[in-house]
Amino acid sequence: MKKSVIIIGSSLLFIACANIAKGLVAPNQCKKCEVYDIGSGAVLDTYEGCGGSNVRLEEDAKVAAFDLMRGGNTNIDVRCETWKQEPAE
């Protein structure tokens, strides 16, 4: 029990550090990932963020796509795009 709590705590600490580092190193780097139906082109879910908020967006979108495919619809895919946001003055 103690070992699993330590592993979970370490994982959460690592994710928090990754968010902080990403925000400091690339605060203007933005990413948008969409989960969409290949046949119809309909966007089923969108994940978007800049700086520290774009950590793990693509992974989260892929998990959502996998969950939808488990429901029987195998025509699901993920597309992501990145861009640099102009710095605020």
Side-chain angles (χ1 to χ4, degrees), residues 46-57:
T46 303
Y47 297 83
E48 187 172 358
C50 295
S53 297
N54 75 4
V55 174
R56 296 188 43 85
L57 283 179

Side-chain angles (χ1 to χ4, degrees), residues 27-42:
N28 299 331
Q29 186 70 31
C30 299
K31 182 181 265 189
K32 177 181 180 181
C33 293
E34 296 177 329
V35 178
Y36 70 99
D37 186 302
I38 296 169
S40 68

Side-chain angles (χ1 to χ4, degrees), residues 2-20 55-56:
K2 249 185 183 179
K3 193 173 191 178
S4 62
V5 171
I6 291 172
I7 291 171
I8 292 171
S10 298
S11 298
L12 292 174
L13 180 62
F14 177 75
I15 291 169
C17 290
N19 288 345
I20 292 169
V55 174
R56 296 188 43 85

